Amino acid sequence: MHSSRKFGVQALHWSVRGLIFWGKHVNLGKSGVLTNGSSVIFSSLKRQHWLYLVAFPVGHGAVDWGSGALWLLAPAMAVSMGLSPLQVGMLFAARQVSAGITQLPAGLIGDNFRRRGVFLLSTFWLVSITQLIASGATNYWVIVGFLTIASSGAAAWHPVAMGAMTQWMPDRKGFVLAIHMLGGSVVDVAVPLLVGVLLLFFNWDLVLQINTIPTIILGVIFIRLAPLVMAPTKELGAGLNIRGFTKSVMQPGALAILLMIILHNMSLIAFMSMAPLYFQEMRGFSSGLTGIALSLFLIGGAITSPFIGHISDKIGRKSMTIWGLIGGGICAWTLTLLSSYITIFPVLIVSGLLMLSIRPVIIAMALEKIGHRESTALGLISSLGEGFAALGALLAGIVGGMD
């Protein structure tokens, strides 16, 4: 117990010391270029690459850290508080609904608010504060309420950050979306392992507090980075053409892709919300072994998504999407026929590779159909995907509660 707390304090200590060093030795000129005295440290191009291809994915991982922990914290909460599978499903459903409601307004802000770096900064602190409050609560509905607000904060990051990235590199949408996803995927791989180990020693509430530390650290760091985020172009800042945007969305091809995103998100959230319970209750996995299983599922998509996104930019997206959806469904069904972790683990890796690596490909395909105003389009895409994904979590909880 003391060693885990010491680790968290040391991580925060060294991050703050690094931030102090940054503040003392690096100055930000009026032009937005980093300088040391009068010397330029980074060129504008290198600075943008560092910001969008490193800081943004890391920020994505930090803002989603608590959400990644919740996949494994939920079974522990269920045991500690005597929750039913339906109540666990309701928790995930509420979080998905809030994420869905949040992302369209966030996308509109991303295309119209010039200081969108400040908006991104605020998401870290909203997530951190509400997760800490939830960790200290004992009432189920209070916990659901504050974790739902935290989900809204994390969801607000995505359309704004991804919109800025695709506007920065418009010809490589699949690649930059995959890079953004990579930050979240790495966290999704690491967090279940960390949470699985921590749950062997601590209660779920303390584990949630420990897993809020990375979000706080990035919230401090982004105080410095927020002014560097590019503002929307003047064309986007002129206001949203509702009629033109609606016409683009209502194209048959765009509607088909949106339906694909909805069904994919429903199946993915249903799988991830109930798989930990299934492995523990039906296959006798420990919390640590369940953490390994979930990480293996996520690692397939994390490793391959930038490569798949890059390839889709070069050769097209349709065939890759079709094979990923079909193959992922077959692999997920195959898991129900297996009983040993020796056979389950390899199939989980392949399932994750197929189900997760095509997400940026499908989203890039939707953006190309809808057209400009990337943050708004991403907000709509995410709202529909996340909102309907709540139905997947709820249905999975109902089915999981049946004998």
Side-chain angles (χ1 to χ4, degrees):
M1 179 173 182
H2 295 295
S3 61
S4 295
R5 287 178 174 172
K6 184 178 179 181
F7 173 78
V9 171
Q10 287 177 341
L12 182 58
H13 169 75
W14 285 107
S15 297
V16 172
R17 286 196 62 178
L19 183 63
I20 293 171
F21 177 85
W22 176 285
K24 285 183 177 179
H25 296 281
V26 180
N27 299 317
L28 187 63
K30 291 181 179 180
S31 63
V33 178
L34 294 172
T35 62
N36 185 2
S38 60
S39 303
V40 176
I41 295 179
F42 297 117
S43 68
S44 178
L45 182 60
K46 289 182 178 179
R47 180 167 48 89
Q48 289 177 352
H49 275 77
W50 182 86
L51 176 66
Y52 293 114
L53 300 184
V54 178
F56 268 45
V58 173
H60 177 203
V63 82
D64 277 354
W65 193 289
S67 298
L70 196 61
W71 297 116
L72 219 59
L73 287 177
M77 292 170 61
V79 172
S80 175
M81 301 177 66
L83 304 180
S84 67
L86 177 58
Q87 287 176 302
V88 174
M90 288 173 63
L91 168 62
F92 285 106
R95 286 170 54 82
Q96 291 301 136
V97 168
S98 71
I101 292 172
T102 301
Q103 295 202 56
L104 181 55
L108 289 168
I109 291 172
D111 277 336
N112 294 279
F113 184 47
R114 293 193 60 79
R115 300 182 64 189
R116 54 184 172 185
V118 175
F119 180 81
L120 291 173
L121 169 64
S122 69
T123 63
F124 293 109
W125 295 105
L126 179 61
V127 171
S128 300
I129 292 170
T130 51
Q131 284 182 177
L132 291 176
I133 294 174
S135 70
T138 56
N139 180 273
Y140 169 75
W141 291 109
V142 173
I143 294 171
V144 170
F146 280 103
L147 289 180
T148 297
I149 297 172
S151 179
S152 293
W157 163 278
H158 297 97
V160 180
M162 290 191 294
M165 293 176 75
T166 54
Q167 289 161 14
W168 171 63
M169 194 173 280
D171 296 330
R172 302 190 65 188
K173 290 184 175 69
F175 173 72
V176 294
L177 289 172
I179 289 294
H180 179 266
M181 173 184 164
L182 181 61
S185 298
V186 170
V187 166
D188 286 341
V189 170
V191 168
L193 292 173
L194 174 64
V195 172
V197 173
L198 290 176
L199 284 173
L200 298 175
F201 304 98
F202 309 116
N203 292 330
W204 70 267
D205 51 352
L206 181 57
V207 176
L208 179 58
Q209 293 168 15
I210 293 172
N211 281 276
T212 305
I213 293 174
T215 314
I216 296 173
I217 293 173
L218 263 293
V220 173
I221 293 174
F222 250 78
I223 294 173
R224 193 73 175 182
L225 298 180
L228 303 179
V229 178
M230 62 181 289
T233 63
K234 292 182 179 179
E235 177 188 353
L236 295 180
L240 176 61
N241 181 350
I242 298 292
R243 179 176 295 181
F245 184 74
T246 303
K247 184 177 179 180
S248 298
V249 171
M250 296 303 293
Q251 298 177 81
L255 290 175
I257 297 172
L258 291 175
L259 178 61
M260 187 189 310
I261 291 172
I262 289 171
L263 295 175
H264 180 255
N265 275 25
M266 284 182 64
S267 61
L268 188 61
I269 296 301
F271 179 86
M272 294 186 66
S273 61
M274 289 297 117
L277 279 174
Y278 172 79
F279 289 138
Q280 291 186 24
E281 294 185 0
M282 304 301 295
R283 294 294 179 251
F285 283 18
S286 65
S287 62
L289 202 58
T290 303
I292 294 173
L294 192 58
S295 292
L296 289 174
F297 171 75
L298 296 166
I299 200 170
I303 292 174
T304 58
S305 59
F307 174 75
I308 297 298
H310 173 72
I311 294 298
S312 73
D313 287 332
K314 300 295 183 182
I315 67 172
R317 314 189 198 278
K318 182 184 291 186
S319 60
M320 298 180 70
T321 299
I322 292 172
W323 285 111
L325 292 172
I326 294 174
I330 292 172
C331 287
W333 172 76
T334 303
L335 288 170
T336 64
L337 306 178
L338 305 175
S339 57
S340 170
Y341 69 89
I342 297 175
T343 53
I344 288 175
F345 283 178
V347 178
L348 276 172
I349 295 175
V350 178
S351 298
L353 187 155
L354 294 169
M355 295 171 68
L356 296 175
S357 64
I358 61 167
R359 290 177 68 189
V361 177
I362 302 174
I363 294 172
M365 190 160 51
L367 287 179
E368 290 166 351
K369 281 288 184 182
I370 294 174
H372 298 294
R373 306 197 67 89
E374 288 84 354
S375 288
T376 303
L378 284 162
L380 174 64
I381 292 167
S382 300
S383 290
L384 291 173
E386 299 287 352
F388 279 95
L391 182 59
L394 190 59
L395 290 175
I398 293 172
V399 173
M402 296 178 179
D403 294 326

